[in-house]
Amino acid sequence: MAEPCNQCGRCCLHMRRYMVIERSIGESHHFCHFTLTKERFFAQIGGDDLVRFRDRESMSRYPDSCPFLRPRENEGFCCTIYSSRPEHCRRFFCA
Ligand code: SF4
Ligand code: SF4
């Protein structure tokens, strides 16, 4: 049975090699290729997520993480493209 997500980020911390940003339009729109499943999708970042996304330094300790992952204010991590994330991420459930 699936556990509720506690936003620990473990499922995203080694996704860098699969998440390719092929082209960006400004900071908030990105044509992406998720090579693990060969899905091409359009990622959009807005609001507080864009503020978080700009802070690339906050992820310097996690060089293998998905480029869209950022730390939360208190603990854990958040996906800055949550509403436009690829199908693989939408369907992922912790065992
Ligand atoms: S889905 Fe990912 S972020 Fe959520 S609890 Fe599982 S490993 Fe952690
Ligand atoms: S798109 Fe979001 S959910 Fe998917 S690997 Fe990246 S940070 Fe994690």
Side-chain angles (χ1 to χ4, degrees):
M1 182 168 162
E3 296 288 327
C5 177
N6 64 13
Q7 299 171 324
C8 72
R10 270 186 298 126
C11 57
C12 312
L13 285 170
H14 300 283
M15 286 294 184
R16 168 87 46 174
R17 62 185 158 151
Y18 300 120
M19 187 65 80
V20 178
I21 299 175
E22 295 187 322
R23 188 161 66 90
S24 299
I25 303 171
E27 292 180 294
S28 55
H29 296 85
H30 307 274
F31 291 95
C32 301
H33 186 192
F34 189 60
T35 62
L36 185 64
T37 57
K38 299 183 169 43
E39 179 181 354
R40 285 195 155 80
F41 69 101
F42 187 58
Q44 302 181 71
I45 312 173
D48 291 344
D49 284 335
L50 186 54
V51 176
R52 291 190 183 104
F53 181 69
R54 285 175 176 147
D55 181 13
R56 290 172 171 76
E57 185 59 29
S58 64
M59 293 300 291
S60 58
R61 286 194 299 140
Y62 308 98
D64 297 332
S65 74
C66 173
F68 297 115
L69 190 69
R70 290 293 181 275
R72 294 170 61 83
E73 284 71 19
N74 300 322
E75 63 176 308
F77 296 86
C78 66
C79 172
T80 57
I81 59 165
Y82 190 78
S83 60
S84 56
R85 67 199 187 284
E87 280 299 317
H88 171 85
C89 304
R90 292 174 191 275
R91 293 182 183 173
F92 183 82
F93 286 106
C94 270

